[in-house]
């Protein structure tokens, strides 16, 4: 028994050092409050994608459905992007006066996404299911279509 404890501690320490840690998406609510589209360090986005996302965010805001887009790097795809989107949306609500003034926060990683929206989970799932092909073909068009279905 005395020998098992040090071995167990050594194994746990080795796992803690070797296991990759997934950090939270490194964007703050304050950064997101300042703009509708944020590109996190390490994420890639073409100029045309940014232009289309900004235009979509402006359109949704004009229709009374404020939306924020965050492009995150590939390594973030292992994180719980839905939880990160929910965290940002909640913090934005507090940042902007204590009310949930942002209807959608959508995080985009290559072949992964996270969303927090003023909608039922089933509505979000249905919207993504209906736009699955578009999301896979063009992440910007597909995700904008998803938000449009929720608006």
């Amino acid at each position: 028994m005395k020998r098992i404890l040090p071995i167990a501690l050594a194994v746990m320490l080795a796992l803690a050092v070797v296991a990759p840690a997934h950090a939270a998406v490194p964007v703050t609510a304050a950064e997101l409050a300042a703009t509708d589209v944020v590109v996190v360090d390490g994420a890639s986005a073409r100029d045309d994608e940014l232009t289309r996302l900004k235009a979509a965010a402006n359109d949704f805001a004009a229709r009374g459905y404020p939306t924020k887009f965050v492009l995150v790097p590939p390594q973030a795809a292992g994180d719980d992007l839905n939880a990160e989107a929910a965290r940002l949306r909640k913090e934005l609500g507090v940042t902007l006066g204590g009310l949930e003034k942002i209807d959608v926060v959508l995080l985009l990683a290559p072949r992964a996404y996270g969303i927090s929206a003023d909608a039922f989970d089933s509505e979000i799932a249905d919207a993504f299911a209906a736009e699955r092909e578009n999301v896979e073909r063009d992440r910007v068009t597909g995700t904008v279509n998803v938000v449009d279905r929720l608006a």
Side-chain angles (χ1 to χ4, degrees):
M1 182 71 169
K2 290 181 182 181
R3 291 174 39 151
I4 293 175
L5 185 58
I7 292 171
L9 288 173
V11 169
M12 288 176 16
L13 181 60
L15 288 174
V17 170
V18 174
H22 290 292
V25 174
V27 64
T28 65
E31 291 171 296
L32 200 51
T35 184
D36 292 328
V37 180
V38 172
V39 181
V40 173
D41 287 341
S44 63
R46 298 185 320 261
D47 288 341
D48 69 300
E49 290 179 317
L50 296 175
T51 300
R52 290 168 33 213
L53 287 172
K54 288 175 186 175
N58 288 337
D59 177 57
F60 291 129
R63 292 168 38 197
Y65 204 72
T67 300
K68 302 284 187 173
F69 295 97
V70 181
L71 288 98
V72 298
Q75 61 269 28
D79 294 334
D80 185 346
L81 295 180
N82 286 331
E84 287 297 308
R87 174 188 65 82
L88 286 168
R89 185 164 169 252
K90 180 179 179 184
E91 289 176 9
L92 278 169
V94 173
T95 300
L96 299 176
L99 300 173
E100 287 186 356
K101 296 183 185 233
I102 304 301
D103 288 316
V104 178
V105 172
L106 206 146
L107 279 60
L108 298 167
R111 294 173 298 285
Y113 64 86
I115 187 169
S116 175
D118 188 14
F120 293 110
D121 289 343
S122 61
E123 292 173 314
I124 294 169
D126 289 348
F128 268 106
E131 295 295 334
R132 184 170 316 283
E133 283 185 26
N134 287 327
V135 170
E136 291 171 1
R137 184 179 23 238
D138 178 349
R139 69 179 178 170
V140 172
T141 298
T143 52
V144 167
N145 288 352
V146 167
V147 177
D148 197 39
R149 287 178 177 273
L150 298 173

